[in-house]
Structures are given as C-alpha cells and as structure tokens.
Amino acid sequence: MKRLVIKRLPDDGKQTLGNAALYDCDKKVFEFVTLEPAWKGNQKQISCIPIGSYKVTPRKSPKYGNHYHVQDVDGRSYILLHFGNYRKDSTGCILVGKRFADINNDDAMDITSSKVTLEKLLQLAPDGFILEIIAT
C-alpha cells in the first residue's frame, strides 16, 4: 500500500501548514503542501488531528466529489482529505495544494491549485494509503 507522510510545521494558533510526500514503496512519487486547523486538543471541527498513523480510503460525496476519508481518528469522525484553499475551508480536515501563498491578502498562508493537487493524488493512489503525520 502507498504511504503519505505529512511533516507538520509549527502551527501559529490559527492553522497548521505541512509538507507532504506520497511514497510507493520507498520511492517518492508526489510532493505537495497541506493546510489544517491549528492544534486545539483534537476538538471536533476546530482542531487538526493528532500526530500518528491512519488508514485513508477513497470516498465520494456531493460536496467534495472524489476525495479521501481518514479512518479511526480517536474521538473524531468524518475527517476528510479534500480540496480547499483557505483555513475556513477546513473544519478539522486536511486540505491539499501545490504551494503556499497568501491568496486573499489576510497575512495568513493559503494553498494554491488544490483541486488539481487532489486530482493528481487520486490518480496516484486510487485505493487509498497509509497516512503518517509527523512533527518537524
């Protein structure tokens, strides 16, 4: 099974940025960035999830189309990995994008090309992957 490693950068109390790499065996096949809420004690809909390892499966919904579901997060449900550019687009989920940029000029980093990045990830890992979240 493929493995996605997210190296989280220290959060600023509002959001958590990360650098992600998808591996097929030990070969890195795709790199991108992530945006999540800040750590708020794993509280539902306002916190990123704990550092750890999780199984991630494909999912489809009317709101996000094809995306991923992060399984077995202690105390949480429906943690998704989906598209979105701003921290307001995540209620505890992981957003993916090509790079960091302050798109809306609010002095906070956003992420670019989110839908394209998610589409590429879905092509490379259609059956899901193991997610490893680590601190830098």
Side-chain angles (χ1 to χ4, degrees), residues 10-25:
D11 75 49
D12 63 4
K14 296 178 184 174
Q15 63 188 21
T16 303
L17 304 176
N19 293 304
L22 179 68
Y23 294 88
D24 189 351
C25 296

Side-chain angles (χ1 to χ4, degrees), residues 32-104:
F32 54 95
V33 298
T34 61
L35 174 62
E36 304 172 73
W39 176 251
K40 303 283 184 187
N42 198 32
Q43 294 178 66
K44 293 178 183 178
Q45 298 187 321
I46 62 168
S47 177
C48 59
I49 62 175
I51 289 171
S53 184
Y54 305 93
K55 182 178 180 184
V56 177
T57 57
R59 182 175 185 270
K60 187 173 184 174
S61 74
K63 183 173 184 177
Y64 297 115
N66 292 318
H67 60 282
Y68 294 102
H69 182 197
V70 182
Q71 304 287 316
D72 302 320
V73 177
D74 191 39
R76 305 277 293 276
S77 60
Y78 290 101
I79 303 300
L80 308 177
L81 197 145
H82 62 80
F83 63 82
N85 299 97
Y86 311 101
R87 71 174 176 244
K88 69 174 181 59
D89 296 330
S90 173
T91 54
C93 297
I94 302 168
L95 307 178
V96 300
K98 183 175 181 178
R99 64 181 178 86
F100 300 120
D102 184 4
I103 300 169
N104 57 358

